[in-house]
């Protein structure tokens, strides 16, 4: 009998309260929850960070596949800093492992707005996102920089650098005119004497 995502979320929420958050016996449940997030296009940063924290405390339990799913789900939440938070919780030796190293590279490309290189690299490594429902759609939303460029008048030169519209050129002075009648001022002046 499989639980719905909302039931799992409620169960995991209970696990994450108090000292049980650091109980390695809960790791199997949390790992299943990460897999469910990937499959059902859902996201729970707190639970994912708890998994990575348990891996820090219990290195023998480290799962490369689960960590990869956590990183990929964090990428779907850009421009939020979730990806950086997750990356910082992974030991350097594990960051050198093949799928994690590739995902970190993809994350770097996205964060530095090298979108064309990102899509090319992703195409060469399609197996990384197998089982991550909605990954490409989420990344496309993040990469919609061109929409912002048109909306705010940003320009791109021939080298691909984006120049943000100079706001000072569009600042319009506003004249503020206040009309105060003598009766309202005279009462204030009379009380101040």
């Amino acid at each position: 009998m499989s639980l719905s995502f909302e039931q799992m979320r409620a169960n995991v929420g209970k696990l994450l309260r108090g000292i049980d958050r650091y109980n390695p016996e809960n790791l199997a449940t949390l790992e299943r929850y990460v897999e469910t997030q990937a499959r059902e296009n859902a996201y729970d940063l707190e639970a994912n960070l708890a998994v990575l924290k348990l891996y820090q405390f219990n290195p023998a339990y480290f799962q490369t596949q689960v960590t990869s799913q956590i990183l990929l789900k964090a990428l779907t939440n850009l421009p939020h800093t979730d990806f950086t938070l997750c990356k910082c919780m992974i030991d350097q030796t594990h960051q050198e492992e093949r799928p994690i190293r590739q995902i970190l590279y993809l994350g770097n490309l996205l964060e530095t707005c090298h979108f064309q290189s990102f899509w090319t690299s992703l195409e060469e490594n399609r197996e990384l996102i197998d089982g991550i429902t909605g990954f490409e759609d989420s990344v496309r939303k993040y990469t919609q920089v061109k929409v912002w460029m048109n909306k705010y008048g940003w320009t791109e030169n021939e080298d691909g650098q984006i120049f943000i519209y100079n706001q000072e050129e569009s600042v319009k002075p506003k004249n503020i005119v206040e009309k105060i009648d003598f009766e309202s001022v005279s009462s204030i002046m009379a009380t101040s004497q």
Side-chain angles (χ1 to χ4, degrees), residues 14-168:
K14 291 175 189 171
L15 285 177
L16 296 179
R17 289 191 200 113
I19 197 74
D20 265 347
R21 164 184 226 112
Y22 303 107
N23 185 349
E25 292 174 10
N26 295 329
L27 199 49
T29 302
L30 292 170
E31 289 170 341
R32 276 194 310 277
Y33 185 54
V34 169
E35 291 168 5
T36 302
Q37 290 177 58
R39 187 175 56 251
E40 296 189 17
N41 196 16
Y43 184 62
D44 187 340
L45 175 64
E46 184 180 0
N48 296 347
L49 290 174
V51 171
L52 294 175
K53 181 58 76 176
L54 281 167
Y55 288 160
Q56 281 182 329
F57 291 153
N58 306 284
Y61 293 117
F62 184 83
Q63 296 288 325
T64 302
Q65 179 63 28
V66 174
T67 303
S68 297
Q69 289 175 329
I70 290 171
L71 287 171
L72 289 167
K73 288 304 294 179
L75 278 179
T76 65
N77 205 34
L78 283 172
H80 299 284
T81 60
D82 301 3
F83 183 72
T84 304
L85 281 170
C86 293
K87 179 173 65 172
C88 290
M89 294 184 74
I90 301 170
D91 186 71
Q92 185 65 37
T93 57
H94 293 301
Q95 287 186 20
E96 299 300 322
E97 294 177 17
R98 187 176 195 291
I100 294 173
R101 184 182 66 231
Q102 290 172 308
I103 295 167
L104 295 177
Y105 174 69
L106 290 173
N108 184 51
L109 290 174
L110 276 178
E111 289 179 323
T112 58
C113 297
H114 290 96
F115 301 130
Q116 190 171 2
S117 299
F118 168 81
W119 291 112
T120 302
S121 183
L122 183 64
E123 198 57 43
E124 294 167 358
N125 297 287
R126 299 285 308 162
E127 74 282 354
L128 288 176
I129 61 169
D130 287 345
I132 308 293
T133 305
F135 178 80
E136 291 176 278
D137 291 336
S138 297
V139 172
R140 276 191 195 94
K141 287 178 188 172
Y142 173 68
T143 60
Q144 296 280 328
V145 172
K146 298 290 184 190
V147 173
W148 285 92
M149 289 175 61
N150 292 336
K151 184 176 180 181
Y152 294 109
W154 300 352
T155 58
E156 182 177 6
N157 69 8
E158 52 274 2
D159 295 328
Q161 295 174 327
I162 297 173
F163 290 91
I164 296 178
Y165 186 67
N166 187 351
Q167 185 179 0
E168 287 145 11

Side-chain angles (χ1 to χ4, degrees), residues 178-192:
E178 294 185 30
K179 296 183 179 182
I180 302 174
D181 59 356
F182 183 72
E183 285 82 33
S184 61
V185 175
S186 64
S187 64
I188 295 172
M189 292 176 64
T191 59
S192 64

